[in-house]
Amino acid sequence: MADTKPGLRKPAFTKVDQLRPGTSGHNVTVKIVSTKMVLQKGRSDGPQARQMRISECIVGDETGVVVFTARNDQVDMMKEGSTVTLRNAKIDMYKGSMRLAVDKWGRVEITEPASFKVKEDTNMSLVEYELVNVVE
């Protein structure tokens, strides 16, 4: 019996304007427009030096921008003007608007600078969604 691995599939990349609420598994290459520290708490001293950091970053591509919530080690990678690839990203809903996030099953990678210009006038996080229950 031969030990052959099945070939890995190439990741399918999506654009920012194709993101929808409640979806996951997105691979997106985006530029970081701005970043703002939202939460920083925890103790840096003691035996368990656990610190929680959350930063909200405006990221986008040539189709639009969205808010990306960076957590802990991801915060250090979020430098304005740099290009990152978000793998297995998901859409979280916060107060009716979309937030892009990468949890422990995903990956944030810094890539070479992209050639596209970010379309900042189409902010997908400004679109407010409402959950509606349909009764049949």
Side-chain angles (χ1 to χ4, degrees):
M1 205 155 49
D3 290 329
T4 59
K5 280 187 178 179
L8 295 177
R9 290 186 301 140
K10 291 275 186 199
F13 284 85
T14 58
K15 298 291 182 187
V16 170
D17 67 343
Q18 297 171 338
L19 300 175
R20 297 290 174 256
T23 57
S24 62
H26 301 292
N27 296 314
V28 189
T29 300
V30 290
K31 274 187 187 176
I32 300 162
V33 177
S34 67
T35 180
K36 180 179 80 167
M37 184 66 76
V38 176
L39 176 73
Q40 185 167 3
K41 68 178 184 178
R43 297 179 56 160
S44 58
D45 59 341
Q48 294 179 333
R50 299 235 15 219
Q51 195 171 21
M52 180 154 180
R53 298 180 299 162
I54 296 178
S55 179
E56 284 189 345
C57 311
I58 304 289
V59 300
D61 60 12
E62 66 271 11
T63 62
V65 294
V66 69
V67 175
F68 173 70
T69 305
R71 291 178 170 83
N72 301 326
D73 294 338
Q74 296 171 357
V75 173
D76 300 328
M77 294 186 215
M78 299 294 128
K79 303 278 188 265
E80 289 185 23
S82 62
T83 304
V84 294
T85 298
L86 309 174
R87 295 191 184 268
N88 202 16
K90 63 178 181 167
I91 298 293
D92 287 333
M93 297 304 290
Y94 178 73
K95 293 185 179 177
S97 64
M98 292 193 303
R99 298 280 194 269
L100 193 62
V102 174
D103 57 9
K104 66 180 180 178
W105 304 112
R107 176 188 247 165
V108 178
E109 300 171 332
I110 298 174
T111 60
E112 65 273 354
S115 60
F116 56 79
K117 183 176 182 335
V118 178
K119 184 177 180 184
E120 294 185 45
D121 57 347
T122 307
N123 191 336
M124 300 298 290
S125 292
L126 291 179
V127 178
E128 195 168 312
Y129 293 90
E130 184 176 345
L131 180 64
V132 178
N133 292 325
V134 178
V135 181
E136 292 187 31

